[in-house]
Amino acid sequence: MRTGLEGKTALVTGASRGIGKAIATAFAAEGANVVISSRKQEALDEVAKEITAAHPDARVLAKAAHVGRAEEAAACVDAAVAEFGGLDILVNNAGTNPYYGPMADIEPAAAAKTVEVNQFAVVQWTQLALKASLAERGGAVVNIASVGGMITEHGIGYYNATKAAVIHLTRQFAMELAPKVRVNCIAPGLVKTHLARALWEPHEAEISKHTPLGRLGEPEDIANAAVFLVGDTSSWMTGQTMVVDGGATIRASLA
Ligand SMILES: NC(=O)c1ccc[n+]([C@@H]2O[C@H](COP(=O)([O-])OP(=O)(O)OC[C@H]3O[C@@H](n4cnc5c(N)ncnc54)[C@H](OP(=O)(O)O)[C@@H]3O)[C@@H](O)[C@H]2O)c1
């Protein structure tokens, strides 16, 4: 079955590198117009060049915005509408983790930033996309959570709590917005990106050994799931969280 993404317009936050960049590139390969956003315009311009080099027919708009700042978010969505006439797809992917340590010791500023970027931005950008055109013409939203939102882990407990919230925001929005807008979520395991470098780089061989599919994730593993979840390929799915983790969360034992 074809994805049906040709001619659709997709906005991806946190698209200057890692998972967001892979998702935007995969959408462009499927014929979608892509709006890529993150805080740094220069990095986005580079990604836009790379996407159009790989897919010469792709239409790409690069527009910087801090996901937590309402005016910047609104300006980005407005720019997307001005360029492409509306939005069909939103991927809430930008994420941050400013604190590593026991949750009992997290400072209010770090906690507030984690909620602003990982959790409330999902609400804010979904509201903007709905107002822009999603509510009227329908579409699909995909939120990027984490397997950490389903389990406990040392060091990143507060980050994981915001990811648990994203899983529930997905269900709530899916219920409220059906049947016009489908809302689904991806919970990645450990993926080789900048954000998670301290977790995987020093331990890659060891973690791979304990992962049923024998390796860590690549951004493209998550992008493939995103293409499925925004495409006609998943037209009877909403409110769900797809775990993409190489089997890490179903391994038989910790040994
Ligand atoms: N890598 C993993 O193992 C893993 C596992 C589970 C879930 N995830 C989730 O996957 C998503 C993507 O992360 P990644 O691993 O691809 O990390 P990454 O390579 O570090 O990319 C993060 C992206 O988010 C952007 N960003 C960060 N803060 C932002 C802000 N305040 N406003 C706008 N953009 C912002 C970054 O660009 P700028 O810094 O230029 O703004 C960058 O484009 C995140 O939601 C993350 O929590 C990752």
Side-chain angles (χ1 to χ4, degrees):
M1 185 181 183
R2 295 176 64 84
T3 59
L5 293 185
E6 208 166 335
K8 297 269 173 68
T9 299
L11 192 161
V12 183
T13 68
S16 62
R17 58 175 186 260
I19 292 169
K21 176 181 170 184
I23 291 173
T25 305
F27 287 178
E30 289 292 319
N33 307 318
V34 289
V35 184
I36 53 175
S37 190
S38 70
R39 287 168 299 182
K40 298 180 192 100
Q41 187 64 44
E42 242 173 59
L44 291 171
D45 291 339
E46 273 309 306
V47 172
K49 266 193 228 155
E50 281 180 46
I51 294 177
T52 41
H55 308 287
D57 294 336
R59 293 178 66 197
V60 185
L61 173 67
K63 175 78 178 162
H66 184 304
V67 281
R69 297 191 185 140
E71 306 87 71
E72 292 181 28
C76 180
V77 171
D78 286 350
V81 172
E83 182 77 12
F84 297 118
L87 282 180
D88 304 288
I89 292 158
L90 170 68
V91 180
N92 287 306
N93 165 75
T96 194
N97 185 22
Y99 171 75
Y100 187 88
M103 199 162 71
D105 294 338
I106 192 168
E107 296 286 345
K113 182 174 180 181
T114 314
V115 169
E116 176 188 61
V117 173
N118 294 359
Q119 184 177 328
F120 188 66
V122 169
V123 178
Q124 184 155 273
W125 285 72
T126 303
Q127 290 172 336
L128 288 166
L130 286 166
K131 277 190 206 124
S133 65
L134 229 59
E136 187 198 327
R137 68 191 204 191
V141 177
V142 168
N143 299 321
I144 307 299
S146 168
V147 290
M150 301 166 160
I151 56 171
T152 57
E153 277 178 296
H154 289 289
I156 55 174
Y158 198 76
Y159 164 89
N160 282 346
T162 63
K163 294 301 187 177
V166 170
I167 291 169
H168 192 73
L169 289 171
T170 300
R171 289 194 284 256
Q172 182 67 28
F173 266 134
M175 184 271 289
E176 292 184 14
L177 302 179
K180 279 199 114 166
V181 179
R182 296 187 303 111
V183 187
N184 287 293
C185 184
I186 300 172
L190 199 50
V191 180
K192 291 167 69 176
T193 69
H194 173 74
L195 179 75
R197 191 174 300 282
L199 298 177
W200 61 265
E201 206 164 52
H203 316 289
E204 183 170 357
E206 187 64 12
I207 300 170
S208 298
K209 207 170 78 187
H210 294 299
T211 302
L213 293 183
R215 65 173 176 85
L216 300 189
E218 299 291 341
E220 290 71 23
D221 293 312
I222 310 306
N224 289 335
V227 168
F228 169 71
L229 287 176
V230 301
D232 296 343
T233 35
S234 62
S235 60
W236 205 47
M237 268 183 81
T238 198
Q240 302 306 308
T241 294
M242 182 185 280
V243 172
V244 184
D245 70 345
T249 49
I250 54 94
R251 66 189 176 180
S253 79
L254 295 176

